[in-house]
């Protein structure tokens, strides 16, 4: 009798396992995305520390140096000399993006405007490699030199400016800042199709700077993100480059800010880490892990997402991603004097909260700020 129950249970267990594994396999086919997210979340919450990464990505100083061996073709060493810089803003640009740089200089990256209207010193540089196509490279390079003669804000190193070289661009930023702008209170890295609400950002950073923040790293945080193993994805990660089922926490590369002590730590981390992992924001996460600094979420920093267009949002927003054509328009409406204080008073507050709830708290709101931004 006893044996029979055991046998029965055993069979049950086996068949359950069979059903389960069949389900797992099918499920994985049906929705790989959900499974890998579930797996990576649980991984993150069970492991909860990525100490092994430091060891796994450590290389000798000579080997680490080889990743930042590229000479400067265009450089400016005196950008930060002689003034108290609140923020050095490194815009990740590409040689051919002339128009985007012009739009930025005329809007949120206008140093004269920031100085006059906001009363602080913010420095903007555009960082890049060389154009990837050797047929047009010389011509584009000449145009770049001309552009730089007028504006003096380009910093270029001699590596190919491609998506898979973005980590080299990250090294460029932190190494350049370390040599030429180590005294800026904050360092920001941003894409050239980003919109930054500069008055809001400056206000926020001034407050933080008064509190003498340390270990400050803020942006749109990815927690427990899974490496993407589909070969057709832009973010494909080969197994031998990253073996684990989730990345350490990192901020979206679209735009993030660190305090100067963190910038110095990142610089030092890059001197001992293998920088061949080509997703730059993940590499930043690995640096953060090595330094023991973790990123903080700010609901009005966007990752992939674009802002919704409304004064109640403009009043709070920091960054918004994916702006190619409408940077000038958005700058105009978002910094309109009537926006400021729109949510002041009880009525204003009620009105704006209601508006933001209707705009942000939708079931499929994946491309903007999260619902909880409505209440902050
Ligand atoms: C930058 O702002 C200043 C002051 O507001 C303005 O005079 C200047 O035209 C702006 N620059 C550009 C390129 O728009
Ligand atoms: C990165 O830049 C280096 C130096 O120019 C180049 O040799 C390499 O092919 C580039 N890598 C990619 C993936 O574009
Ligand atoms: C750095 O990582 C790459 C990819 O994982 C690997 O091929 C390479 O050997 C590593 N370099 C060193 C010096 O360990
Ligand atoms: C990572 O390794 C470096 C040297 O290899 C060490 O200085 C640092 O303290 C390590 N970080 C952590 C969080 O263990």
């Amino acid at each position: 009798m006893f044996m029979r129950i055991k046998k029965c249970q055993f069979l049950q267990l086996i068949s359950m396992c069979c059903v389960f594994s069949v389900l797992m396999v099918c499920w994985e086919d049906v929705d790989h995305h959900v499974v890998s997210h579930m797996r990576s979340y649980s991984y993150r919450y069970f492991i909860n520390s990525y100490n092994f990464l430091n060891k796994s990505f450590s290389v000798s100083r000579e080997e680490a140096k080889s990743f930042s061996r590229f000479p400067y073709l265009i450089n400016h060493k005196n950008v930060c000399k002689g003034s108290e810089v609140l923020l050095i803003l490194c815009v990740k640009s590409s040689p051919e993006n002339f128009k985007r740089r012009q739009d930025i200089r005329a809007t949120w990256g206008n140093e004269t405007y920031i100085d006059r209207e906001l009363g602080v010193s913010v420095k903007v540089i555009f960082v890049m490699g060389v154009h990837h196509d050797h047929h047009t490279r010389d011509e584009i390079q000449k145009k770049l030199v001309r552009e730089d003669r007028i504006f003096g804000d380009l910093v270029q190193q001699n590596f190919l400016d491609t998506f898979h070289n973005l980590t080299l661009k990250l090294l460029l930023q932190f190494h350049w800042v370390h040599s030429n702008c180590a005294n800026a209170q904050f360092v920001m890295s941003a894409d050239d199709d980003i919109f930054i609400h500069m008055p809001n950002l400056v206000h926020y950073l001034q407050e933080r700077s008064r509190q003498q923040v340390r270990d400050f790293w803020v942006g749109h945080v990815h927690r427990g993100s899974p490496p993407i193993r589909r070969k057709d994805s832009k973010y494909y990660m080969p197994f031998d480059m990253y073996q684990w089922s989730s990345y350490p926490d990192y901020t979206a590369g679209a735009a993030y800010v660190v305090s100067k002590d963190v910038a110095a730590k990142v610089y030092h981390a890059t001197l001992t880490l293998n920088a061949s992992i080509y997703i730059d924001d993940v590499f930043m996460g690995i640096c953060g892990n090595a330094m023991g600094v973790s990123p903080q979420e700010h609901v009005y920093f966007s990752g992939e997402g674009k802002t919704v267009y409304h004064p109640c949002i403009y009043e709070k927003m920091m960054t918004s991603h994916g702006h190619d054509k409408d940077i000038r328009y958005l700058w105009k409406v978002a910094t309109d004097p009537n926006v400021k204080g729109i949510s002041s008073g009880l009525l204003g507050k009620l009105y704006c909260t209601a508006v933001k709830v209707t705009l942000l708290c939708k079931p499929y709101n994946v491309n903007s700020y999260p619902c909880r931004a409505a209440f902050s």
Side-chain angles (χ1 to χ4, degrees):
M1 183 66 180
F2 179 68
M3 281 301 283
R4 267 193 40 205
I5 288 176
K6 269 216 136 165
K7 207 168 159 186
C8 198
Q9 278 183 334
F10 183 69
L11 279 176
Q12 244 178 11
L13 200 73
I14 292 282
S15 47
M16 279 246 305
C17 283
C18 276
V19 171
F20 224 67
S21 43
V22 167
L23 238 153
M24 281 293 277
V25 170
C26 295
W27 180 237
E28 199 146 348
D29 266 354
V30 175
D31 201 343
H32 189 270
H33 193 65
V34 173
V35 172
S36 62
H37 268 88
M38 272 166 31
R39 201 196 290 138
S40 77
Y41 273 123
S42 25
Y43 188 82
R44 181 187 180 274
Y45 285 101
F46 282 125
I47 303 291
N48 206 9
S49 117
Y50 292 76
N51 291 335
F52 48 84
L53 284 183
N54 199 20
K55 196 155 163 250
S56 167
F57 281 88
S58 277
V59 292
S60 73
R61 287 192 169 247
E62 274 66 47
E63 280 161 334
K65 218 174 181 176
S66 71
F67 292 103
S68 50
R69 66 182 183 278
F70 304 99
Y72 286 98
L73 298 177
I74 303 177
N75 196 5
H76 296 280
K77 290 173 173 289
N78 297 325
V79 170
C80 297
K81 291 261 159 69
S83 57
E84 253 186 47
V85 179
L86 177 72
L87 173 70
I88 173 77
L89 209 166
C90 305
V91 182
K92 296 178 272 182
S93 194
S94 290
E96 68 279 17
N97 293 349
F98 298 101
K99 189 178 167 298
R100 288 189 187 175
R101 291 192 287 277
Q102 275 305 79
D103 286 346
I104 290 171
R105 291 185 187 111
T107 58
W108 55 261
N110 181 341
E111 292 176 359
T112 318
Y113 171 92
I114 299 168
D115 185 37
R116 273 196 213 148
E117 301 293 321
L118 308 173
V120 294
S121 172
V122 172
K123 300 291 173 187
V124 181
I125 58 165
F126 296 94
V127 297
M128 63 189 79
V130 296
H131 195 255
H132 55 88
D133 176 17
H134 68 271
H135 295 296
T136 49
R137 188 177 304 152
D138 288 348
E139 196 187 321
I140 289 186
Q141 194 61 28
K142 273 189 207 137
K143 274 179 80 181
L144 278 181
V145 170
R146 242 176 287 148
E147 180 186 350
D148 187 61
R149 222 174 278 144
I150 299 171
F151 301 105
D153 56 4
L154 305 185
V155 173
Q156 184 189 38
Q157 265 182 351
N158 193 8
F159 58 82
L160 291 189
D161 198 299
T162 58
F163 177 74
H164 286 107
N165 266 344
L166 270 175
T167 299
L168 298 185
K169 209 176 270 184
L170 183 136
L171 296 182
L172 160 57
Q173 295 165 72
F174 284 95
H175 285 231
W176 186 90
V177 167
H178 177 79
S179 314
N180 304 306
C181 203
N183 280 326
Q185 296 293 314
F186 297 96
V187 180
M188 181 170 196
S189 175
D191 286 348
D192 64 358
D193 59 346
I194 199 98
F195 176 83
I196 300 178
H197 197 299
M198 196 52 82
N200 288 355
L201 179 70
V202 162
H203 186 72
Y204 172 66
L205 293 181
Q206 275 180 310
E207 239 162 52
R208 291 297 170 287
S209 134
R210 256 176 242 125
Q211 301 157 5
Q212 315 249 317
V213 284
R214 294 181 65 79
D215 286 345
F216 175 83
W217 173 16
V218 75
H220 177 85
V221 179
H222 288 279
R223 272 185 227 291
S225 282
I228 292 172
R229 308 293 190 193
R230 278 181 292 110
K231 284 217 168 85
D232 57 347
S233 165
K234 187 178 170 188
Y235 300 104
Y236 167 65
M237 178 54 61
F239 192 77
D240 31 331
M241 196 170 267
Y242 195 92
Q243 299 134 41
W244 303 280
S245 44
S246 95
Y247 289 136
D249 297 354
Y250 64 90
T251 48
Y256 56 84
V257 184
V258 298
S259 52
K260 69 176 171 192
D261 58 303
V262 173
K265 285 182 187 169
V266 174
Y267 167 76
H268 286 289
T270 65
L271 300 180
T272 61
L273 288 177
N274 184 341
S276 61
I277 190 160
Y278 46 68
I279 303 182
D280 62 328
D281 33 15
V282 170
F283 181 72
M284 179 74 183
I286 295 171
C287 291
N289 182 258
M291 311 168 306
V293 178
S294 29
Q296 304 151 35
E297 171 85 358
H298 188 300
V299 285
Y300 282 106
F301 271 75
S302 77
E304 292 289 298
K306 207 175 210 172
T307 181
V308 274
Y309 296 69
H310 195 282
C312 287
I313 303 280
Y314 303 151
E315 198 199 21
K316 295 281 159 97
M317 71 184 291
M318 292 288 170
T319 72
S320 171
H321 192 221
H323 297 272
D324 205 358
K325 304 250 151 41
D326 68 346
I327 283 199
R328 287 173 194 253
Y329 164 77
L330 189 54
W331 175 248
K332 199 154 165 264
V333 293
T335 59
D336 188 294
N338 293 325
V339 166
K340 214 170 164 186
I342 189 169
S343 72
S344 61
L346 183 62
L347 272 183
K349 205 173 159 83
L350 279 177
Y351 165 70
C352 272
T353 305
V355 166
K356 286 190 282 186
V357 165
T358 48
L359 291 174
L360 302 177
C361 302
K362 294 178 189 156
Y364 292 103
N365 166 30
V366 284
N367 277 323
S368 192
Y369 308 116
C371 176
R372 62 182 189 285
F375 305 96
S376 69

